[in-house]
Amino acid sequence: MSGAGSGGTSVIGGVSEAQAAQASRLSFTPIEPSGEDEVVLPEGFKYDVVRKWGDDVIGNDAYGYNNDFVAYFPIDALDGGQNSQDGILWVNHEYPDPKWVSEYQDGEKTPEQIAQEKASVGGSIFRVRRQGNTWGFVEDDQYNRRIDATTPMDLTGPAAGSEEMEGADEVIGTLANCGGGVTPWNTVLTCEENYQDYYGENFGADESRYRWLDDSGNVQPPEQYGWIVEVDPFDPESKPRKHTWLGRLRHENAAIRLSDRGRVVVYTGHDQENQCIYKFISSGTYDPDDREANFDLLTDGMLYVANFASGRWNALDYENNSIFEDNDFGSQADILVRAPEAAALSGGENPEDRIGTPLDRCEDIEVASDGTVYAALTNNEKHGNFYGQILKITE
């Protein structure tokens, strides 16, 4: 598009005025698009390979596949430090590529192939240190470890031990680890997104994309996945926990803030067309002087879903809203296990009568320094919206 005036975009030498103005504010010269199979950086920048797929993290536990969310914890963070040269790195590994990870081609998968894929997902925790101008991996038995689809984990909240979880208060593994977040008490939240690709879904039409059901002796109930998992990177003996109060859905990430009264608020979005945005509010309050006490903050509270037609956050509260029991939800645990179904309920024909507002795909949520919440809604092909939008929420 060329030409100036109302609604127009003038172009200078193939670059729009807006692009030229943005480039003039940069402290480096932007690079041209490239089809090269390598990392291409602007002049003056460099990169270091700290770990790559298959490298050891500790012992024979290898660094996983398909990185996603990355979090850095200063090594002195628990003492209030902000060391930017030495720290602990958490990296999500979202999903395997069977062609490379297990050399799977077609037909039924072997137990050995599935085991290889289970070891490639989850997350890696390891120490990194900068020496001179180079970042490197630190072999450190105190912190380094791998968490994957075979790691035992505890459940917290109403769904723990419930009928919907087949009575389990411990589950096996984490997978589909997409986005995440960091708590004020220096733990990581890793989010299980497309969990249906592994063990299917009991109350949906999704099949196991990765054919993990082929290993019939090691099949896990699908309800054990789709949660937000808390991991303490500073304690290698600690057991990861899946917090059921934060709901079971295709979590893209976890954006955290403290309310004015010190309660922990976690925003999360369901990354699928015509799904909703949620937030959890803790019952307890954050104590900057008691890290151990803060470990309980995500185990009790309330999950809400946004209705943008009414401008309200509606509580997914079994005891205080009869709409759930009237629609065959049997308990608070049932609501949390089937959170998207609960959010889709409506008490009338108008948009404001719905529990939650269906949206374009929520790919990410972030909280600005002033408390404003921004959600990136990437697209919704069902509505012909291929470009998405940014949603601003002011509490």
Side-chain angles (χ1 to χ4, degrees):
M1 181 185 296
S2 64
S6 177
T9 302
S10 63
V11 175
I12 304 172
V15 179
S16 71
E17 287 182 340
Q19 290 172 315
Q22 181 182 26
S24 70
R25 294 193 295 267
L26 298 176
S27 60
F28 59 91
T29 302
I31 60 175
E32 295 294 327
S34 171
E36 297 181 47
D37 186 18
E38 61 179 285
V39 179
V40 181
L41 300 177
E43 184 178 355
F45 287 77
K46 66 183 289 286
Y47 69 89
D48 303 309
V49 177
V50 178
R51 286 287 89 174
K52 62 182 184 296
W53 169 51
D55 287 348
D56 288 341
V57 172
I58 184 169
N60 294 320
D61 291 334
Y63 187 77
Y65 202 79
N66 273 331
N67 301 348
D68 202 291
F69 175 70
V70 177
Y72 173 83
F73 297 86
I75 199 67
D76 54 1
L78 299 190
D79 297 319
Q82 298 180 343
N83 193 317
S84 62
Q85 311 292 313
D86 188 355
I88 301 171
L89 211 61
W90 165 276
V91 184
N92 275 2
H93 303 300
E94 187 172 3
Y95 58 91
D97 186 328
K99 179 179 180 180
W100 306 112
V101 172
S102 62
E103 298 183 353
Y104 171 78
Q105 296 294 327
D106 196 11
E108 185 172 326
K109 266 186 187 171
T110 67
E112 292 75 20
Q113 288 175 317
I114 294 171
Q116 288 176 303
E117 294 177 16
K118 288 181 177 181
S120 74
V121 298
S124 292
I125 307 172
F126 54 93
R127 190 168 181 175
V128 293
R129 183 181 295 130
R130 184 177 182 181
Q131 294 181 321
N133 196 32
T134 301
W135 281 95
F137 171 80
V138 179
E139 294 188 12
D140 192 329
D141 292 348
Q142 182 177 356
Y143 299 111
N144 296 3
R145 61 172 166 157
R146 276 287 280 119
I147 290 170
D148 61 22
T150 66
T151 305
M153 306 189 173
D154 286 333
L155 289 175
T156 75
S162 67
E163 178 182 352
E164 290 74 18
M165 299 297 290
E166 300 183 8
D169 55 17
E170 180 186 84
V171 297
I172 302 300
T174 185
L175 43 77
N177 303 81
C178 189
V182 174
T183 68
W185 52 96
N186 288 296
T187 59
V188 67
L189 301 182
T190 178
C191 298
E192 299 178 331
E193 187 191 4
N194 288 305
Y195 57 87
Q196 75 286 343
D197 291 339
Y198 299 86
Y199 294 112
E201 178 62 279
N202 279 343
F203 39 83
D206 297 301
E207 297 294 334
S208 171
R209 174 182 176 185
Y210 295 113
R211 302 198 59 145
W212 285 12
L213 297 175
D214 288 351
D215 185 10
S216 58
N218 288 292
V219 171
Q220 304 300 329
E223 289 84 5
Q224 294 189 3
Y225 308 96
W227 304 102
I228 291 179
V229 187
E230 184 176 14
V231 182
D232 184 358
F234 289 94
D235 183 2
E237 302 301 322
S238 64
K239 202 172 179 181
R241 295 178 298 162
K242 298 191 178 189
H243 294 302
T244 67
W245 259 123
L246 278 65
R248 180 175 179 266
L249 47 116
R250 299 187 194 182
H251 292 279
E252 177 61 37
N253 78 316
I256 304 165
R257 65 177 293 220
L258 294 176
S259 74
D260 293 340
R261 293 189 294 171
R263 300 187 190 278
V264 177
V265 183
V266 182
Y267 298 89
T268 186
H270 185 138
D271 189 2
Q272 192 178 13
E273 294 95 339
N274 298 335
Q275 293 295 336
C276 299
I277 287 176
Y278 301 78
K279 77 172 178 181
F280 165 84
I281 302 179
S282 67
S283 296
T285 56
Y286 171 65
D287 185 346
D289 300 317
D290 192 342
R291 185 172 188 254
E292 294 295 324
N294 296 326
F295 288 162
D296 292 332
L297 290 177
L298 303 183
T299 67
D300 188 56
M302 181 55 64
L303 184 66
Y304 299 80
V305 63
N307 183 304
F308 292 100
S310 64
R312 293 174 57 90
W313 289 97
N314 290 321
L316 297 180
D317 186 347
Y318 183 79
E319 289 188 5
N320 294 299
N321 193 337
S322 61
I323 191 174
F324 300 115
E325 185 174 5
D326 293 344
N327 284 275
D328 299 324
F329 284 87
S331 64
Q332 185 65 59
D334 194 14
I335 289 175
L336 296 174
V337 170
R338 295 191 288 147
E341 294 181 46
L345 295 177
S346 180
E349 297 181 357
N350 298 318
E352 57 267 23
D353 296 325
R354 290 181 58 101
I355 300 295
T357 298
L359 302 166
D360 299 336
R361 288 181 49 232
C362 184
E363 181 68 23
D364 188 54
I365 302 177
E366 300 295 338
V367 181
S369 58
D370 65 355
T372 304
V373 180
Y374 294 92
L377 309 178
T378 52
N379 61 64
N380 191 334
E381 294 185 9
K382 293 181 178 180
H383 293 175
N385 170 13
F386 300 101
Y387 305 106
Q389 59 219 295
I390 294 176
L391 178 64
K392 177 181 178 181
I393 305 171
T394 303
E395 295 281 31

